[in-house]
Amino acid sequence: MKYNIVVVGGGTAGCAAAYFSAKLGLKTLLIEKNSYLGGTITGALVVPAMKSVQSILNNDFYNIFTQRLYSLGGQITYLDGNKGWINPELAKIALDSILADAGVDILFNTYINDIFIQNSFIKSLSISSSEKINLIPIDNDANILSVSTETTTSENNNSLKLSEYIETDYVIDASGTQIICRKANCRFIDDNTNLQPSSLRFIASGIDLSKFKEFILEYDKDREATTAGVINNEIHLSTACTWDKEWALTPLFNKGLKEGLLNKEDLAYFQIFTIPGMPNSVAYNCPRFTKSINNNDLYALSNEIIAARKSMLRLINFCKKYFPGFEGAYISEIAPEVGVRVSPRPVGKYIYTIQDLKEGKTFENPVLVSNYPIDVHSDKRDGAKLEKVYKEYQLPIESLISADYKNLFFAGRSISCDFYSQSALRIIPSCFSMGEGLARYIANLSNQ
Ligand SMILES: Cc1cc2nc3c(=O)[nH]c(=O)nc-3n(C[C@H](O)[C@H](O)[C@H](O)COP(=O)(O)OP(=O)(O)OC[C@H]3O[C@@H](n4cnc5c(N)ncnc54)[C@H](O)[C@@H]3O)c2cc1C
């Protein structure tokens, strides 16, 4: 098969990139390892999207997405004007239909095996429905398939075809895991030892939101921390409590700790939001991992996942006891994917820095404009950083263009920038803008 563009990763940035590539006339293939689109939004249950400036730049995909979700009953505009309150399950359905409208070919449950490079161009990819299988020829006279490469089929058995070859003019790595960059042996930015804790999020249902709303608005008068209202005939609210400062909910959490309902790690970061179209439910922006680990450390990762699921049980039991309205609450969904805040970032034509961001440096070809703060999570009580920015900032297209390959680009949380600027750039609206801006740039290139 031959495509103009292959987008690897059907998540936040990848969906926007694929949609606009196809809309702008490029024959587009989107490759996704899961069986749904949306990436961190849907797989890691990360909702709502953060509020940022109503940017005039590359905002179309975000508008199309929120409008489609609204028509499905899965979006509201919150009290603060943030239209990013979205339903993660309906988001899967909305994205399927939006990308179908544009004519994107989508391959789910698909993995990249090999990439083929010539003169600094990625010429083709081999893909399959599983991780790469290296079949070893077996010198045995039994009924063994005598195959030596993964493209070979057994004699007279085409159903065992293992790989598909895809030729392409351009590749966008929107995997967040840098799958293409790593396979292509790209250079990475050398501050990759800097980490932030990931989270495993969940949803609880069976909640009397009306009762909880009355309680929480009365209990917590800080409208920076707790807000609630009725929007589109649904109750919506949000509240939080973290270990690095005193919140209205802190005494309740301390009680839970004293009674043994909670562990001290459960107090690190607690935040809940309601979800459009899911009455009686809230999304937990926690538990957060107790350590900032490298995701390639599989033993540490697995231990953190198990610990996070135990923490969910403690949190729900704590809420049932201390939050009026939560008496009948139960865990209705645990995110299938870990929510990863930061990962290694490949070297692009421009490495964006925290100085660029703080100064609000302008560029000839920006892909996004934002004012979202520097937001670094930490596993240390005094290690987090949430720093407002006073100027709108831009990200240049050059931070999405590989320095190593002529037709390789990246978009999303893993782009060419330093650790601190990534903590501001990674939010959902900015990832959408990156995907859209990049698609527009590549469509222009291909027309030249
Ligand atoms: C815990 C947490 C809380 C957050 N809170 C907020 C918030 O409140 N608001 C906000 O706006 N932002 C928030 N963010 C940030 C934001 O959600 C993410 O940074 C953003 O969604 C990442 O988008 P992306 O396109 O880079 O990656 P993703 O959306 O993760 O997409 C990557 C896609 O690539 C696919 N993929 C990976 N490897 C392969 C492979 N080998 N082959 C094929 N496909 C592959 C994945 O399955 C996925 O679909 C949060 C992030 C986390 C982790």
Side-chain angles (χ1 to χ4, degrees):
M1 289 292 276
K2 167 91 182 70
Y3 284 89
N4 297 126
I5 186 158
V6 173
V7 179
V8 179
T12 319
C15 283
Y19 175 85
F20 269 98
S21 298
K23 269 277 171 203
L24 296 170
L26 301 174
K27 185 169 158 56
T28 306
L29 175 66
L30 179 59
I31 295 174
E32 169 54 50
K33 73 172 170 56
N34 290 330
S35 55
Y36 50 83
L37 299 174
T40 297
I41 300 171
T42 52
L45 298 176
V46 171
V47 289
M50 289 292 184
K51 190 169 179 231
S52 180
V53 273
Q54 288 297 302
S55 167
I56 37 144
L57 201 57
N58 296 320
N59 226 4
D60 291 349
F61 187 81
Y62 192 29
N63 287 333
I64 292 165
F65 176 58
T66 47
Q67 277 160 19
R68 186 68 56 95
L69 269 173
Y70 179 79
S71 71
L72 299 176
Q75 183 270 345
I76 57 139
T77 300
Y78 197 59
L79 306 167
D80 59 357
N82 181 6
K83 65 178 182 183
W85 283 53
I86 49 180
N87 176 312
E89 297 307 327
L90 292 173
K92 294 176 185 168
I93 298 169
L95 289 168
D96 281 345
S97 69
I98 292 169
L99 269 66
D101 290 350
V104 176
D105 284 353
I106 301 173
L107 291 177
F108 286 124
N109 293 340
T110 300
Y111 289 85
I112 309 292
N113 288 335
D114 294 307
I115 59 174
F116 301 92
I117 293 164
Q118 200 178 28
N119 301 330
S120 300
F121 281 89
I122 296 178
K123 303 296 278 185
S124 60
L125 317 161
S126 74
I127 55 171
S128 73
S129 58
S130 65
E131 297 286 10
K132 182 172 180 173
I133 305 167
N134 275 323
L135 292 169
I136 300 160
I138 298 172
D139 188 12
N140 187 328
D141 56 5
N143 56 344
I144 298 287
L145 307 177
S146 100
V147 277
S148 56
T149 77
E150 51 172 13
T151 48
T152 317
T153 59
S154 73
E155 283 155 25
N156 307 323
N157 187 353
N158 283 327
S159 67
L160 273 177
K161 187 174 170 211
L162 296 173
S163 284
E164 193 77 54
Y165 279 85
I166 309 287
E167 285 177 53
T168 185
D169 299 326
Y170 304 100
V171 180
I172 297 180
D173 187 341
S175 64
T177 54
Q178 322 86 38
I179 185 68
I180 299 296
C181 296
R182 284 187 287 126
K183 282 191 185 274
N185 205 13
C186 289
R187 286 169 292 158
F188 280 81
I189 295 165
D190 62 8
D191 67 355
N192 289 326
T193 46
N194 253 336
L195 296 167
Q196 296 183 50
S198 298
S199 295
L200 188 67
R201 297 178 56 151
F202 71 107
I203 295 176
S205 303
I207 301 158
D208 181 342
L209 284 174
S210 171
K211 193 168 166 189
F212 182 64
K213 172 174 165 266
E214 296 311 309
F215 159 75
I216 197 72
L217 283 179
E218 185 56 34
Y219 188 83
D220 185 1
K221 299 273 193 288
D222 178 359
R223 292 292 159 261
E224 293 284 313
T226 295
T227 49
V230 176
I231 304 164
N232 297 356
N233 299 318
E234 292 176 346
I235 292 175
H236 284 287
L237 54 86
S238 115
T239 190
C241 183
T242 59
W243 66 358
D244 50 358
K245 66 177 201 182
E246 193 68 17
W247 302 71
L249 285 173
T250 303
L252 287 189
F253 275 83
N254 284 336
K255 259 193 190 174
L257 182 64
K258 222 168 159 188
E259 281 174 30
L261 268 178
L262 297 174
N263 286 356
K264 70 175 186 328
E265 296 80 28
D266 303 327
L267 276 61
Y269 197 88
F270 171 88
Q271 197 174 25
I272 53 174
F273 304 94
T274 45
I275 310 157
M278 281 196 196
N280 314 323
S281 301
V282 295
Y284 284 68
N285 185 10
C286 50
R288 200 172 65 183
F289 284 2
T290 60
K291 292 194 193 76
S292 301
I293 54 161
N294 181 328
N295 280 326
N296 293 325
D297 183 345
L298 297 176
Y299 286 97
L301 176 66
S302 304
N303 285 336
E304 287 292 340
I305 291 171
I306 292 166
R309 283 198 279 259
K310 282 188 187 156
S311 170
M312 288 173 199
L313 209 51
R314 290 192 297 272
L315 286 167
I316 198 79
N317 286 333
F318 164 77
C319 293
K320 279 161 84 112
K321 176 155 185 195
Y322 283 105
F323 289 0
F326 274 67
E327 295 80 358
Y330 58 92
I331 295 171
S332 52
E333 189 172 355
I334 296 176
E337 299 268 315
V338 170
V340 177
R341 291 191 166 84
V342 65
S343 42
R345 294 168 309 287
V347 176
K349 291 213 159 153
Y350 186 82
I351 300 178
Y352 190 76
T353 66
I354 190 65
Q355 286 77 23
D356 295 336
L357 187 135
K358 282 185 172 177
E359 285 165 14
K361 185 168 172 180
T362 55
F363 294 91
E364 202 176 323
N365 279 312
V367 283
L368 65 87
V369 177
S370 181
N371 63 354
Y372 186 70
I374 300 153
D375 184 4
V376 178
H377 285 242
S378 171
D379 54 10
K380 313 268 178 318
R381 194 180 280 260
D382 56 359
K385 188 182 176 92
L386 185 63
E387 188 182 329
K388 273 194 177 156
V389 288
Y390 294 96
K391 281 184 185 166
E392 290 182 2
Y393 51 84
Q394 301 183 349
L395 178 74
I397 186 75
E398 288 78 11
S399 293
L400 310 184
I401 304 175
S402 168
D404 295 316
Y405 292 94
K406 291 182 178 150
N407 64 342
L408 175 61
F409 303 84
F410 8 87
R413 67 175 189 264
S414 195
I415 55 163
S416 177
C417 65
D418 67 11
F419 174 79
Y420 285 102
S421 61
Q422 191 273 358
S423 75
L425 293 168
R426 66 163 177 257
I427 60 166
I428 292 165
S430 295
C431 287
F432 280 148
S433 295
M434 287 182 215
E436 179 176 333
L438 185 56
R440 292 186 190 281
Y441 175 83
I442 295 173
N444 267 339
L445 273 188
S446 79
N447 285 334
Q448 279 164 17

